[in-house]
Amino acid sequence: MTTLPLDGIRVIDFTQVMLGPSCTQVLADYGAEVIKIEKVRIGDLSRWSLGSDPDGLNNPVFCSLNRNKKSLALDLKQPEARETVLTLLETADVVVNNFRPGVMERMGFGFEDLKKINKKLIYAVGTGFGLTGPYQHKGGQDVLAQAVSGVMRRKSDSSHPTSIYATPLADYSAGMHLVQGILLALLQRDKTGEGQQVAVSLYNSMLAMQMQEGTTHLMRQKDLNWGAFPLTGVFETTDGAIVMVGAFKQNPLQDICNALEIEDLSQYPHYKDFDAQMARRPELQTIFHDNFAKNTTAHWLQRLEDVDILCAPVRSLPEALKDEQTIINKMILEAGETAAGPIRLIGSPIDMSAAEVAVRISPPQLGQHNDEILGSLGRLQGNAA
């Protein structure tokens, strides 16, 4: 059997929805025993994200975030259930939650409470805006973080309406930052013998994602917008769309004109360099739009690649999922069958030659592992889902 990097690490997981579960799924994929604490009869809210799955058993949203975990359903209002969790925490390596500040403390599971019973425990927290400050008790959510951090205002074209980005950037990036923090804390524990609190927020992750843009503003009071560069854009073709990035070359405009079979615009003074091109970006973009509209995506991909201009087709997610590269990269995982059909999941983007990700435990049913976990503690009564 392959030894995984986190074999022997026990994680007590209070998380739900996406930020926290995306973090704990990475830990589970690479060997950690993740025990997911869920509310009796309700469970993780993501079990109910799609109305087409009325029993919440095989919801794709939940399945996408919760493979390789064990589900323990408890009523934490009951003293015996809280004692069960405390017993698990006494020998756990990591506990993770993404509640608002104060929730874990009210249950008696705050950092100060738990380090008294387990000084080696890594206490990992994901919040909306931080553990302190004016927004600490504000409800955190991906779209809100996009808005308040400045991400939502950033557009490649100022004429486009301000809108929500359709993929949860904040949840995923904060989840991955939480993974990083936990792994760093585990490494530091090897040196000190003690655990610590690790905290991330949706807000901080969105600011960090804008590190280049934010630093440019702080140091030069200028706007940096990679998507608004003059030779970059999305252009409709006769059968779809293409994205082009005219950069990283001595004279990319000349090569683009060559690919489009039009005159070399870089020979004109008003297009001679980057600053001149930026000043006339609308004109250049109109020229590109008009010419790309004359032929197919495949035609333009070949023409641009022949002159070494970065380009790609603009595809739908279903098209990307069927791509041969997706399969070769092992980005589709099979996780068993249900009455509704097979469970097919997006795999791990991390490729380790000696630690291949596999589905060892299918996304669990609510309370599926109660007997296993409670039986190991001798507490089968009064805790079942």
Side-chain angles (χ1 to χ4, degrees):
M1 180 180 293
T2 302
T3 299
L4 295 172
L6 296 177
D7 280 347
I9 297 295
R10 171 173 277 188
V11 178
I12 307 303
D13 178 8
F14 284 90
T15 70
Q16 57 181 335
V17 188
M18 184 171 182
L19 187 171
S22 68
C23 162
T24 54
Q25 179 163 272
V26 173
L27 303 179
D29 277 350
Y30 290 94
E33 180 193 24
V34 176
I35 298 175
K36 185 178 181 70
I37 309 296
E38 300 192 73
K39 289 183 180 180
V40 293
R41 295 178 294 278
I42 299 174
D44 187 326
L45 293 175
S46 68
R47 289 184 182 275
W48 310 97
S49 295
L50 300 176
S52 59
D53 187 33
D55 59 7
L57 295 179
N58 299 300
N59 189 298
V61 176
F62 177 83
C63 289
S64 72
L65 294 160
N66 289 286
R67 62 173 175 260
N68 291 327
K69 303 178 187 181
K70 299 176 181 178
S71 173
L72 176 60
L74 298 173
D75 179 0
L76 292 176
K77 294 179 181 179
Q78 302 302 317
E80 187 176 358
R82 290 197 297 274
E83 285 300 315
T84 293
V85 172
L86 287 172
T87 301
L88 289 170
L89 288 166
E90 286 175 358
T91 57
D93 297 280
V94 183
V95 59
V96 191
N97 82 84
N98 61 333
F99 297 128
R100 295 190 197 191
V103 173
M104 288 287 279
E105 287 75 10
R106 289 194 292 274
M107 292 191 293
F109 301 144
F111 176 55
E112 296 299 325
D113 300 310
L114 298 184
K115 73 179 184 180
K116 294 175 184 177
I117 66 170
N118 183 354
K119 70 173 188 176
K120 293 186 175 183
L121 187 67
I122 309 301
Y123 192 93
V125 187
T127 66
F129 299 95
L131 296 175
T132 58
Y135 302 154
Q136 64 175 304
H137 294 296
K138 182 177 176 64
Q141 198 273 339
D142 184 276
V143 174
L144 304 186
Q146 290 181 37
V148 76
S149 66
V151 167
M152 194 177 289
R153 283 283 188 185
R154 298 192 59 78
K155 297 174 283 186
S156 61
D157 189 324
S158 60
S159 68
H160 294 167
T162 301
S163 62
I164 296 167
Y165 190 75
T167 294
L169 295 175
D171 276 329
Y172 185 74
S173 60
M176 296 307 99
H177 289 150
L178 195 54
V179 172
Q180 294 173 28
I182 290 168
L183 296 180
L184 290 169
L186 288 170
L187 288 171
Q188 189 168 10
R189 188 181 71 175
D190 287 343
K191 297 178 173 65
T192 66
E194 295 187 359
Q196 62 181 290
Q197 180 171 272
V198 175
V200 305
S201 69
L202 300 174
Y203 183 68
N204 286 359
S205 288
M206 286 291 87
L207 290 175
M209 186 175 283
Q210 302 171 93
M211 62 180 70
Q212 297 177 83
E213 297 91 336
T215 300
T216 300
H217 175 77
L218 291 169
M219 294 180 64
R220 298 287 185 270
Q221 291 74 54
K222 291 185 177 181
D223 179 51
L224 174 62
N225 189 333
W226 298 108
F229 278 19
L231 309 183
T232 294
V234 177
F235 307 100
E236 298 292 329
T237 67
T238 57
D239 62 353
I242 190 170
V243 64
M244 175 181 72
V245 178
F248 311 116
K249 302 193 73 180
Q250 184 174 357
N251 188 353
L253 179 56
Q254 182 179 61
D255 292 326
I256 292 169
C257 293
N258 183 9
L260 292 173
E261 300 182 281
I262 61 176
E263 63 177 324
D264 181 3
L265 298 175
S266 69
Q267 300 303 307
Y268 289 86
H270 48 277
Y271 295 134
K272 66 178 180 178
D273 56 26
F274 178 82
D275 289 339
Q277 293 163 12
M278 277 298 296
R280 293 177 177 266
R281 182 179 186 273
E283 296 175 19
L284 283 170
Q285 293 282 305
T286 297
I287 292 170
F288 298 154
H289 278 287
D290 290 346
N291 281 278
F292 279 116
K294 296 175 181 178
N295 217 316
T296 66
T297 297
H299 172 83
W300 293 123
L301 286 173
Q302 187 62 60
R303 293 286 303 173
L304 290 169
E305 288 176 350
D306 285 345
V307 295
D308 198 27
I309 289 292
L310 294 169
C311 60
V314 178
R315 301 188 306 191
S316 67
L317 176 59
E319 288 171 331
L321 292 176
K322 292 189 294 185
D323 193 289
E324 181 184 7
Q325 191 67 55
T326 301
I327 306 306
I328 290 172
N329 290 357
K330 300 179 181 178
M331 285 303 294
I332 307 293
L333 295 178
E334 303 289 340
E337 291 279 342
T338 71
I343 299 175
R344 305 185 72 211
L345 310 171
I346 300 299
S348 171
I350 305 166
D351 184 2
M352 298 180 67
S353 63
E356 185 174 352
V357 167
V359 180
R360 306 184 309 281
I361 304 173
S362 292
Q365 305 303 316
L366 179 59
Q368 179 178 332
H369 299 93
N370 272 43
D371 287 351
E372 173 191 334
I373 297 167
L374 299 177
S376 70
L377 301 176
R379 295 182 178 183
L380 283 172
Q381 299 301 315
N383 286 288

